Amino acid sequence: MPRDGHPVDLGSLILGGCILPVDQFTVAVDALKPLLDLIKCQHCENGMDYEYTSWLTGDTMIDLVVDRHNTLWQEGLRQWNDHNYLVAMKLFQNYLSPYKEMWCLYPNKNPFYIKHLNGPDHKKSFCEGALQLAKRLLFCAYCEMDGNEIGSARQRLVQCLSLLITIQPLESSCKEEVRIHMDDAWMELTLSMEEIPSDRVVARHVATMALATKSCGWTDPLQRPGFMSQVQLNSIPFIAREKHPNWCKELEANWKFILEEYKLLAKPEAQYNWHDVGSGQRGSGHDDHRVVSGRSWKEYVLFGSGSKESDCDAPMTKRLIKKLVPDAVSLAQMGGGEVIFSRLAGGTRINAHCGTTNIRLTAHLGLVVPESDCHICVADEWHTWETGHIMLFDDSFEHEVINDSDKDRVVLLMRLWHPELLQEQQRSDALVQAINKKEKSVMKRYHPS
């Protein structure tokens, strides 16, 4: 709300902050234009007496899809439970086809209309039907995304969000359920933009729209983790050296010992202990392989799932970490992070993405650093490793790595608790919440309602 008390025109605000002109957006983003209008309209029309701004839904469309064609969805559920997934998917798509066809009638203009709801019962009935339809759109989008039908999935996500934003202020009894599904839809839509190089810049615009609806707990379009701590934490993308904790200097003073142990583990006869990042060899980071392009990104796990039980493989390194960075060991042992030797081959890039949560920080101790063409970008600022020096940053912010040299880049990578999570119970609660959200998000993809 601006100082003069008039509502913010969020549509103009979002467009005003675009990095690219709207007419240069990729075709995939065209489906977002009606959603942009909806956000603008929704916030400019506050205060209407039981009126709603609706995207071609109304009772007619809700009834058409949710009630009259419900047999299609139910048959789809039966086929899904019998593991006939392709048959089920076709039934789900047929069920939703009237809604998709109506949506496509208005590709380039604002299709909203105002309608009076006849009392609270009518309003509640409309919201329940719209919520049911939104949930089904979201599930179908999950299936299409996994089946690489990206364009159709994005359109369904926008339709889902349109419905949820419409009913959010209308019915208090379902506000929490609406919020959960809205978070899921924004998250899926943003991730779909992150994973395609030509669309990555658009992920920021989608995140800006999510911020306008106060979704996902995000506060910055460059910080888009899957889980934001329920405890408010100060977020700094990149921590300047003068603000590093004391243990950084002590570990840096021993970097040559750590380098020597890395060299022993990097010998040809020890290569079987190295694994591709994201290969599933450790408990976390299963999706990390999706952001790698080029030759290879390999890891040797020191602490965390997949590490050796004894310290015989890197005794000095492990002893130093246990003594100086117990937070990293604690987080790894609890399943929320890892300590690894990370080796990025020359000619490899780690594409722009956001880490899974803001409850931790990431530290890199430079061990082998090419002389040129090897950098990391965190929240739009580029940095370069130095041998024997630690780099400390929050990987929940958008970041990417390029190694365009012909040499390997090697760092000791450590995940550690966010410094404002001081109490053990606080840390445990935050990690359990993050893990539970991750598990639920996976389960939702395989269980239609």
Side-chain angles (χ1 to χ4, degrees), residues 364-419:
H364 286 181
L365 172 61
L367 299 176
V368 179
V369 180
E371 293 182 1
S372 62
D373 299 325
C374 187
H375 314 280
I376 182 171
C377 182
V378 182
D380 279 348
E381 290 190 3
W382 287 95
H383 307 272
T384 303
W385 295 273
E386 298 178 59
T387 53
H389 290 286
I390 285 176
M391 185 182 285
L392 192 59
F393 62 97
D394 184 339
D395 85 332
S396 66
F397 283 87
E398 185 179 299
H399 60 286
E400 63 180 301
V401 176
I402 63 169
N403 183 4
D404 289 343
S405 74
D406 58 357
K407 307 291 184 184
D408 289 348
R409 180 236 58 181
V410 181
V411 298
L412 173 65
L413 182 153
M414 297 167 282
R415 312 283 191 195
L416 48 143
W417 292 105
H418 190 288

Side-chain angles (χ1 to χ4, degrees), residues 201-222:
V201 68
V202 184
R204 302 184 183 187
H205 305 300
V206 176
T208 302
M209 294 182 192
L211 292 178
T213 60
K214 297 180 171 60
S215 297
C216 304
W218 296 339
T219 57
D220 186 323
L222 288 174

Side-chain angles (χ1 to χ4, degrees), residues 121-298:
D121 290 342
H122 191 187
K123 181 179 68 168
K124 183 177 181 181
S125 174
F126 166 77
C127 290
E128 288 174 351
L131 178 58
Q132 177 76 297
L133 177 55
K135 289 161 66 174
R136 292 175 175 180
L137 283 163
L138 178 57
F139 181 77
C140 196
Y142 285 150
C143 295
E144 290 176 335
M145 201 68 75
D146 292 342
N148 207 34
E149 297 180 37
I150 307 298
S152 180
R154 286 177 178 171
Q155 189 180 50
R156 294 195 199 280
L157 290 167
V158 173
Q159 294 165 356
C160 168
L161 285 162
S162 171
L163 284 165
L164 294 173
I165 293 169
T166 297
I167 66 178
Q168 189 179 35
L170 297 180
E171 178 55 45
S172 59
S173 64
C174 61
K175 272 188 183 295
E176 180 61 16
E177 193 172 3
V178 168
R179 183 194 64 76
I180 291 170
H181 292 299
M182 193 181 294
D183 284 359
D184 291 340
W186 280 121
M187 194 80 64
E188 188 72 11
L189 187 58
T190 306
L191 286 172
S192 82
M193 300 294 179
E194 281 185 3
E195 291 183 1
I196 299 175
S198 60
D199 293 345
R200 279 187 198 120
V201 68
V202 184
R204 302 184 183 187
H205 305 300
V206 176
T208 302
M209 294 182 192
L211 292 178
T213 60
K214 297 180 171 60
S215 297
C216 304
W218 296 339
T219 57
D220 186 323
L222 288 174
Q223 188 184 28
R224 308 182 299 271
F227 174 78
M228 287 287 283
S229 170
Q230 295 179 12
V231 177
Q232 188 169 355
L233 303 173
N234 285 320
S235 297
I236 302 173
F238 193 89
I239 294 85
R241 283 187 60 78
E242 60 269 20
K243 294 184 178 180
H244 283 190
N246 292 333
W247 63 262
C248 290
K249 289 183 180 178
E250 294 186 60
L251 197 63
E252 287 172 343
N254 290 278
W255 80 275
K256 289 186 178 179
F257 295 109
I258 297 171
L259 174 61
E260 289 306 310
E261 290 194 332
Y262 157 74
K263 287 179 178 178
L264 290 174
L265 293 172
K267 288 183 175 181
E269 59 267 27
Q271 286 305 301
Y272 67 91
N273 289 312
W274 290 79
H275 300 274
D276 290 325
V277 172
S279 63
Q281 182 264 344
R282 57 179 165 89
S284 59
H286 286 181
D287 295 327
D288 289 351
H289 67 281
R290 300 170 75 169
V291 298
V292 182
S293 61
R295 291 179 57 202
S296 73
W297 181 21
K298 291 187 176 291

Side-chain angles (χ1 to χ4, degrees), residues 24-185:
Q24 291 181 20
F25 277 11
T26 59
V27 174
V29 188
D30 287 343
L32 294 177
K33 291 176 183 175
L35 178 60
L36 186 64
D37 288 337
L38 177 65
I39 293 174
K40 179 172 67 174
C41 226
Q42 187 69 39
H43 285 262
C44 291
E45 299 292 344
N46 282 341
M48 294 185 297
D49 183 23
Y50 292 123
E51 294 180 346
Y52 67 96
T53 305
S54 174
W55 166 240
L56 57 87
T57 53
D59 292 333
T60 303
M61 181 53 65
I62 295 294
D63 290 346
L64 174 64
V65 179
V66 175
D67 294 331
R68 298 178 190 175
H69 286 216
N70 200 46
T71 53
L72 281 175
W73 190 268
Q74 295 303 321
E75 176 60 18
L77 289 179
R78 190 182 71 80
Q79 294 290 343
W80 185 274
N81 292 331
D82 288 342
H83 308 294
N84 299 320
Y85 300 118
L86 294 179
V87 175
M89 189 62 223
K90 188 65 177 176
L91 287 164
F92 293 153
Q93 290 173 322
N94 288 343
Y95 164 84
L96 292 168
S97 62
Y99 193 69
K100 187 170 184 177
E101 289 165 8
M102 287 295 292
W103 177 277
C104 293
L105 292 177
Y106 302 93
N108 296 311
K109 58 186 178 181
N110 186 342
F112 303 107
Y113 60 90
I114 301 297
K115 175 179 177 177
H116 288 274
L117 291 170
N118 300 320
D121 290 342
H122 191 187
K123 181 179 68 168
K124 183 177 181 181
S125 174
F126 166 77
C127 290
E128 288 174 351
L131 178 58
Q132 177 76 297
L133 177 55
K135 289 161 66 174
R136 292 175 175 180
L137 283 163
L138 178 57
F139 181 77
C140 196
Y142 285 150
C143 295
E144 290 176 335
M145 201 68 75
D146 292 342
N148 207 34
E149 297 180 37
I150 307 298
S152 180
R154 286 177 178 171
Q155 189 180 50
R156 294 195 199 280
L157 290 167
V158 173
Q159 294 165 356
C160 168
L161 285 162
S162 171
L163 284 165
L164 294 173
I165 293 169
T166 297
I167 66 178
Q168 189 179 35
L170 297 180
E171 178 55 45
S172 59
S173 64
C174 61
K175 272 188 183 295
E176 180 61 16
E177 193 172 3
V178 168
R179 183 194 64 76
I180 291 170
H181 292 299
M182 193 181 294
D183 284 359
D184 291 340

